[in-house]
Amino acid sequence: MSPFAFVVHDLGQAKAALRAARERGLCVCLVSAPGAGVALGPAVWREMAAEAARTEPGALAEAILDCGRDPGVALGALREGVLAIAVDVADEVRAKIADIAGQRGAWVRMPPTPVFDLGAAADPLAAAREWLDGRTP
């Protein structure tokens, strides 16, 4: 997994993160906002990550959908073809979800750290570039 990760809230932010990464010859991880599995939905996340990846080939390492505390949302995300999910559930439940994920070629992951949230950035591309260059935006 990439050492660089961005929380993205929309397609523009996802594209900005991947563009900044591609310009630097890096792969990065996109992480949804907390609970986006419920608020945004798995299909929208899957398509958003795929569209961003199409615009910046080779820059996406992984796209993790945060499913919050809802195992049903996590299972729904797997049915929708999301390949990496985060879910905050008991270890026993997580193990069962991870087993189902593995059968589908997917993973249950904790979002990497550090992660930079592009949600408050007035210029997500500039902020992503600065963060990848080791500067505080």
Side-chain angles (χ1 to χ4, degrees):
M1 189 175 329
S2 170
F4 296 104
F6 292 94
V7 172
V8 296
H9 301 262
D10 60 36
L11 180 59
Q13 292 172 9
K15 287 181 176 181
L18 295 185
R19 180 174 176 191
R22 183 194 46 78
E23 291 171 349
R24 284 148 184 77
L26 299 171
C27 288
V28 297
C29 179
L30 300 180
V31 180
S32 75
V38 174
L40 187 64
V44 172
W45 172 255
R46 184 194 67 231
E47 290 306 309
M48 184 174 80
E51 177 60 24
R54 279 190 289 275
T55 63
E56 300 296 341
L60 179 64
E62 188 169 44
I64 301 173
L65 176 64
D66 186 306
C67 298
R69 296 173 181 249
D70 191 330
V73 171
L75 293 172
L78 296 171
R79 281 190 301 274
E80 285 289 338
V82 175
L83 295 178
I85 60 170
V87 60
D88 184 13
V89 293
D91 290 343
E92 173 183 309
V93 176
R94 181 187 328 278
K96 290 177 182 178
I97 294 171
D99 180 53
I100 293 166
Q103 293 172 31
R104 295 175 172 271
W107 306 270
V108 176
R109 298 254 197 260
M110 292 302 298
T113 56
V115 61
F116 182 71
D117 191 335
L118 289 173
D123 182 344
L125 180 57
R129 285 173 173 153
E130 288 178 16
W131 193 68
L132 290 174
D133 291 341
R135 299 187 309 252
T136 303

